[in-house]
Amino acid sequence: MYLSDINHPNQLHGLSVNQLKQIACQIRDKHLQTVGVTGGHLGPGLGVVELTLGLYQTLDLDRDKVIWDVGHQAYPHKLITGRYKDFHTLRQKHGVAGYLKRCENTFDHFGAGHASTSISAALGMALARDIRGEKFKVAAIIGDGALTGGMALEAINHAGHLPRTNLLVVLNDNEMSISPNVGAIPRYLNKMRLSGPLQFLTDNIEEQFKQIPFVGESLSPELSRIKEGMKRLAVPKVGAVFEELGFTYMGPVDGHNIEELINTFHQAHQINGPVLVHVATVKGKGYEIAEKDQVGYHAQSPFNLSTGKAIPSNKPKPPSYSKVFAHTLVKLAEQNPKIIGITAAMATGTGLDKLQAKLPKQYIDVGIAEQHAVTLAAGLACEGIIPVVAIYSTFLQRAYDQIIHDVCIQNLPVFFCLDRAGIVGADGPTHQGMYDIAYLRCIPNIVLMAPKDEAELQRMVLTGINYNAGPIAMRFPRGSGYGVPLMEEGWEPLEIGKGEILRHGDDVLLLGYGTMVYPALQTAEILSEHGIEATVVNSRFSKPLDTEMILTLAEKIGRVVTLEEGCVSGGFGSAVVEALLDRDIVVPVKRIGIPDVLVDHAQPHESKVDLGLSSSQIADRILLMLFSQKTLPIMS
């Protein structure tokens, strides 16, 4: 059988181990060929090929349910669940998503782009099954990195309290999240990887007792207690924590030995109650370059398979915002040992790996634990440290209570740096940074700012470091800057709550925030061609607003347009409208940003066109809404 012939995972049933090995090779080839062209996550999927085939051969996927944690490790799952023919569209607009989506495929039982959710979701499905009196298996597959997330431990705690609820948890242990794992749990798992398989030890004990003449058969009523006693002797080194929490522990199992995996999963399905199968895998398995550089090949832009090197862009790009942020932070941290950078398992993504390399004592990686990261920062701030919490906008959502309760209520000087704010592209709805303006703006005490370009980002990093009157947050986008000149040092901090006028005009006031400042300037140029002159303001701060400037200009000009790369509901534009209403200034206001929709995976420029956020589209909308007598054709 060929991989291209598989449209349903149950087609794996009855295949020999050798046939499954052939399918595994074909999965890796398709995976590599596709990601080499489209870009995407590489190492996670390559590491779970045999695990996926071994597990799925022991399940009836017309009934049983498999829940994948995060989802970027589920490319092999996608390839054997009817998406082979469309896999070349991976992460492209209208193509196969990079994560699991319930609406994409009937075998995607739970969508996820954030880590540590699988056990909770799987337990919910298992409980629903039992409530309805149904019979099917539920399996959650979670990486060892995701076990550092408190939610996974909460779910394990709950599941272990339910001895009659059948649930299989497969621990995919490759010693990595994106970067090498940190903390006591990964260290403990590493010790377990070096131990022998526990379940087979107890099975051998049973066989040995049965061989004792005149004794073996008569001991059968006591056999389970003997097995359990012998097992407990081994457990302190292997799986003790999981056993004590109420799980039956099996493993570690070689995650690339299909026969061993199949035998183990068959045994696991026979055990009542929650079971944890510990599978040891290699991230990037089968592609030597990815095995040697597991951090660099977690995900890749399009690359040459033979060399592993990224395909160069046609045009050289300016440095990314993340690199500029990291470089500036390192420079400031070299001068001030109180500055501590904090990441939640995203050192490379946030650029804090540069701080780790240069100043390791001023760097903390807490693992996939955003809640802990924020409250840890609050504790550091209590003691006079300057914590810089670098977390993607989408991931900081996971620590919302800690931002309010532990930082803002106590008015502690924590500096939040929100990378990937706005439209992020191919990762899709789970990773779009749409909501941070709205979800932070409503909290008392916090200051919110966003740079118009990478040079202003440098000044904002210094502003955030210097600000000690309470918490402050800076959002910035994914991708390259504009190529504006940068300074190596000598940056000047910004005055809190003050914007700048970039262009003067009497017909309409364009208030740009962050990434929408340059599009506002381009929009003003288009409007000028139609006889409409705009004042353009780089607002810089959404909280506090520069009300002195904004309200004065709004009252004078009489027409206001706000532009932001974030959700319109409760965002920067809403802040401007509230300020106008509070001062009884009644003028036409149009808010332009992300409407109340989920933005699917596509290239960022494609999403912006779909949302009407290109400069020409914005100009058309302004002409239609505020100057209807001078309309242009509206672009679709």
Side-chain angles (χ1 to χ4, degrees), residues 60-288:
D60 177 1
L61 271 299
D62 282 327
R63 300 169 58 252
D64 302 331
K65 301 181 188 301
V66 178
I67 315 303
W68 287 87
D69 209 84
V70 183
H72 59 44
Q73 59 181 328
Y75 289 4
H77 159 86
K78 287 177 179 266
L79 284 169
I80 59 174
T81 52
R83 284 165 277 192
Y84 177 89
K85 292 180 180 179
D86 295 324
F87 200 64
H88 66 280
T89 67
L90 181 70
R91 291 162 53 92
Q92 309 301 302
K93 186 178 181 181
H94 305 312
V96 174
Y99 295 89
L100 298 191
K101 298 176 68 175
R102 282 171 55 85
C103 61
E104 183 176 284
N105 189 276
T106 57
F107 297 106
D108 291 3
H109 296 293
F110 198 77
H114 294 183
S116 312
T117 64
S118 59
I119 304 176
S120 296
L123 181 58
M125 294 178 188
L127 290 172
R129 171 201 64 200
D130 296 347
I131 290 169
R132 295 196 301 258
E134 296 176 341
K135 299 290 183 182
F136 59 83
K137 300 179 181 68
V138 180
I141 302 174
I142 186 168
D144 53 315
L147 277 188
T148 63
M151 187 175 175
L153 300 178
E154 291 169 14
I156 287 173
N157 177 64
H158 185 196
H161 186 63
L162 303 170
R164 293 185 177 84
T165 300
N166 291 341
L167 173 69
L168 172 63
V169 174
V170 180
L171 175 58
N172 171 31
D173 181 4
N174 60 19
E175 301 181 276
M176 301 284 291
S177 48
I178 294 177
S179 300
N181 289 325
V182 299
I185 292 174
R187 186 171 65 244
Y188 175 75
L189 290 176
N190 188 51
K191 291 180 180 178
M192 293 163 64
R193 285 170 65 97
L194 302 177
S195 303
L198 172 65
Q199 191 65 32
F200 303 116
L201 168 67
T202 56
D203 292 340
N204 289 336
I205 290 171
E206 180 174 355
E207 290 302 317
Q208 290 172 26
F209 269 106
K210 286 181 178 180
Q211 299 304 317
I212 300 176
F214 310 109
V215 176
E217 294 302 322
S218 63
L219 272 175
S220 56
E222 304 294 325
L223 199 54
S224 63
R225 284 195 290 273
I226 294 172
K227 282 176 64 180
E228 210 43 44
M230 294 299 292
K231 189 175 179 181
R232 290 293 173 188
L233 293 176
V235 158
K237 287 189 177 180
V238 188
V241 170
F242 298 113
E243 290 276 342
E244 293 299 331
L245 288 173
F247 278 74
T248 298
Y249 172 87
M250 300 176 67
V253 182
D254 182 350
H256 303 294
N257 184 321
I258 293 178
E259 185 172 12
E260 186 178 347
L261 286 163
I262 291 172
N263 291 337
T264 303
F265 288 135
H266 273 308
Q267 291 188 47
H269 297 323
Q270 305 305 311
I271 299 172
N272 290 323
V275 179
L276 186 140
V277 175
H278 183 182
V279 180
T281 62
V282 176
K283 190 173 182 178
K285 179 70 173 180
Y287 184 51
E288 186 177 359

Side-chain angles (χ1 to χ4, degrees), residues 14 26 54 57 73 103 162 202 204 220-221 235 278 337 339 344 356 389 393 421 432 449 466 523 525 563 595:
Q26 294 171 45
Q57 203 193 51
Q73 59 181 328
C103 61
L162 303 170
T202 56
N204 289 336
S220 56
V235 158
H278 183 182
I339 295 173
Q356 179 188 24
V389 181
S393 170
Q432 307 285 11
M449 56 185 177
N466 288 354
T523 299
E525 291 298 322
L563 300 97

Side-chain angles (χ1 to χ4, degrees), residues 350-410:
T350 60
L352 286 193
D353 56 332
K354 306 295 188 297
L355 181 67
Q356 179 188 24
K358 196 71 177 286
L359 302 167
K361 292 183 179 179
Q362 292 174 246
Y363 164 86
I364 298 174
D365 183 353
V366 300
I368 301 176
E370 292 84 1
Q371 294 170 302
H372 167 57
V374 171
T375 304
L376 173 75
L380 288 166
C382 286
E383 299 303 311
I385 298 298
I386 303 172
V388 180
V389 181
I391 296 177
Y392 291 3
S393 170
T394 182
F395 295 140
L396 192 61
Q397 296 163 184
R398 296 160 65 94
Y400 193 54
D401 179 62
Q402 286 68 34
I403 297 169
I404 298 173
H405 184 275
D406 299 333
V407 176
C408 290
I409 287 179
Q410 301 187 95

